Amino acid sequence: MQLVHAFDAYCGWSHGFSPTLREVVSRHPDLPVEVISGGLFTGSRRVPIREFGHVQDANAQIAELTGARFGEGYDRLIADGSFVMDSEAAARGVAALRRAAPDRSAELAGTLQRAFYVDGLSLSEAATYRKVAEDAGLDADAVVAAFESPEADDAAADDFRRCADLGVTGYPTLLAVDGGSVTALARGRATADEVDRRLAALS
């Protein structure tokens, strides 16, 4: 059995779920974790953030329910309103980090979300992945090269397809996958204890 964490790096609820994922991973070091990106902001949804009028209210709810922190850098992006969230670019970056350190993909997904939601860094910029890689002790040149490579586009598309194939309809979704059996452990919000109870029911 393995865990599959389907998330979008530009999803506030995914940001709020990061501590739960971190705790679940620490409790179950024997379970491999696959992290895949969803395409929340692609196509016609790639618009300036000001067009999502509910963002600040949603973030207040996420912070209240999960304890997630939204930093000053991110607040400046919201106040300006012109920033465009591009989930395809973020998925390329997730794939590049995953390629560099596949056994740390859950940790790096959380780090990437903090880069956006706390520091206000764009997940479309190579410089962001260089910083994340350097801070994580990875080969930053290799991560940036992977982010900018044509293969990263294919990896992002593969992630979007895998989310669809697994029946993921919202982010974050944490799944237990055992052969052809797929069980949802968490959708949107859950505690590590709740995830543990659902995992225990599978054994």
Side-chain angles (χ1 to χ4, degrees):
M1 183 170 68
Q2 69 167 342
L3 301 179
V4 177
H5 175 52
F7 88 123
D8 191 292
Y10 279 126
C11 167
W13 286 105
S14 293
H15 174 51
F17 188 72
S18 289
T20 293
L21 180 66
R22 190 163 56 246
E23 179 63 21
V24 169
V25 170
S26 72
R27 291 183 186 183
H28 301 279
D30 53 317
L31 283 179
V33 183
E34 178 186 5
V35 175
I36 55 176
S37 295
L40 192 56
F41 299 103
T42 58
S44 62
R45 285 179 60 80
R46 278 186 287 210
V47 295
I49 203 167
R50 70 170 67 91
E51 298 197 20
F52 298 99
H54 64 285
V55 167
Q56 285 177 304
D57 289 342
N59 290 345
Q61 185 182 24
I62 292 165
E64 180 183 352
L65 294 175
T66 71
R69 187 166 76 87
F70 297 86
E72 292 181 3
Y74 173 75
D75 288 342
R76 283 193 292 272
L77 285 184
I78 295 294
D80 175 74
S82 63
F83 182 78
V84 176
M85 295 180 289
D86 181 350
S87 292
E88 187 175 357
R92 292 202 326 265
V94 170
L97 290 165
R98 186 173 61 208
R99 179 175 172 180
D103 58 331
R104 297 173 63 190
S105 56
E107 167 203 339
L108 292 167
T111 301
L112 198 57
Q113 294 210 276
R114 287 192 296 278
F116 175 63
Y117 279 107
V118 177
D119 300 329
L121 301 179
S122 169
L123 304 185
S124 296
E125 299 293 333
T128 298
Y129 300 97
R130 179 173 296 282
K131 181 180 188 306
V132 169
E134 287 173 347
D135 289 350
L138 302 176
D139 183 336
D141 288 340
V143 169
V144 169
F147 170 67
E148 294 177 335
S149 72
E151 289 80 12
D153 292 332
D154 295 336
D158 287 345
D159 274 14
F160 296 166
R161 275 193 297 272
R162 182 142 168 74
C163 282
D165 290 345
L166 289 169
V168 174
T169 56
Y171 311 103
T173 296
L174 183 64
L175 303 170
V177 179
D178 191 358
S181 175
V182 179
T183 304
L185 302 174
R187 287 192 175 97
R189 182 169 64 93
T191 66
D193 288 343
E194 288 169 337
V195 171
D196 269 358
R197 285 196 291 273
R198 291 163 193 159
L199 269 174
L202 298 176
S203 57

